[in-house]
Amino acid sequence: MATPTVPCAICDKHRGVGELVGPILWTDDHAVVSHRPPALGTGLAIAGYLFVESREHVARWQDLSRTQASAVARASWGAARVLADHFGTDQVFSAIVGLRVPHFHQHVFVRHPGTPPTVPWYDPGSWDECPHLRVEELGRLAASLRARFDSMA
C-alpha cells in the first residue's frame, strides 16, 4: 500500500478507525465497498448510500492501475445492481468527486422510489422522507446487502 504523506481518513477507515467507518459489504485485494456511516450529529445514515474505494492509497481515479481500476469498476457495478435489486428502483447514481479526501472513492447511491423529481440527484438527504437508519437498522441492511454481494460471486 502506498503511504500517504499526510494522514488519510480513508486509509484510517480501512484500518477500522475514525468517523468514516461504516459497515463493509464487499472487498477484494484492490477495492472496498462500504455503507456510509451514521452522521455524527444525528446518528442516522441515509439508506443505500455506499462508497467504493481503492484499498491502496491512490489519490485520483486516473492514477489507479489498470488492475485497481478494473476492481473498482466491478465493485461499482456490483454495488449498483445490489442497490437496485434491494430497494426496487431503476435509479442508482454514482459520482467520483474527490474534493475533500485525497484517496480514491466513488459514491454509489440509490434514488429511493417516490423521490420527487425536484430533489437533486446528488443530494438524496435533502428529501425529508428519504429513508434514514439508526445503527441497528443499518446493521440489518448491511447484512442483507452483503448477502446479495455474496450471491453475485
Side-chain angles (χ1 to χ4, degrees):
M1 175 187 281
T3 304
T5 56
V6 296
C8 174
I10 294 176
C11 288
D12 288 346
K13 172 185 176 178
H14 292 172
R15 289 190 295 273
V17 177
E19 65 185 44
L20 300 181
V21 174
I24 294 175
L25 307 178
W26 182 87
T27 66
D28 72 5
D29 292 340
H30 303 286
V32 177
V33 180
S34 62
H35 198 286
R36 186 177 185 175
L40 293 178
T42 64
L44 298 174
I46 296 172
Y49 198 117
L50 310 184
F51 291 106
V52 176
E53 300 150 348
S54 59
R55 184 176 289 283
E56 291 189 50
H57 183 82
V58 178
R60 298 176 307 230
W61 172 236
Q62 65 269 26
D63 296 331
L64 295 172
S65 70
R66 182 180 306 269
T67 300
Q68 291 166 330
S70 294
V72 164
R74 280 191 314 275
S76 299
W77 171 80
R81 291 176 61 96
V82 163
L83 289 173
D85 182 49
H86 180 84
F87 289 99
T89 184
D90 294 331
Q91 296 294 329
V92 177
F93 298 123
S94 173
I96 301 169
V97 183
L99 295 175
R100 287 188 46 225
V101 179
H103 183 128
F104 174 81
H105 60 287
Q106 181 173 7
H107 303 245
V108 181
F109 51 98
V110 67
R111 185 163 181 93
H112 290 279
T115 302
T118 55
V119 174
W121 71 269
Y122 54 84
D123 191 12
S126 68
W127 178 37
D128 290 341
E129 295 179 45
C130 178
H132 286 78
L133 305 173
R134 298 203 177 282
V135 172
E136 59 278 355
E137 297 166 316
L138 178 57
R140 287 191 293 274
L141 172 62
S144 177
L145 297 178
R146 198 174 297 116
R148 289 171 192 265
F149 267 104
D150 291 346
S151 71
M152 289 179 21

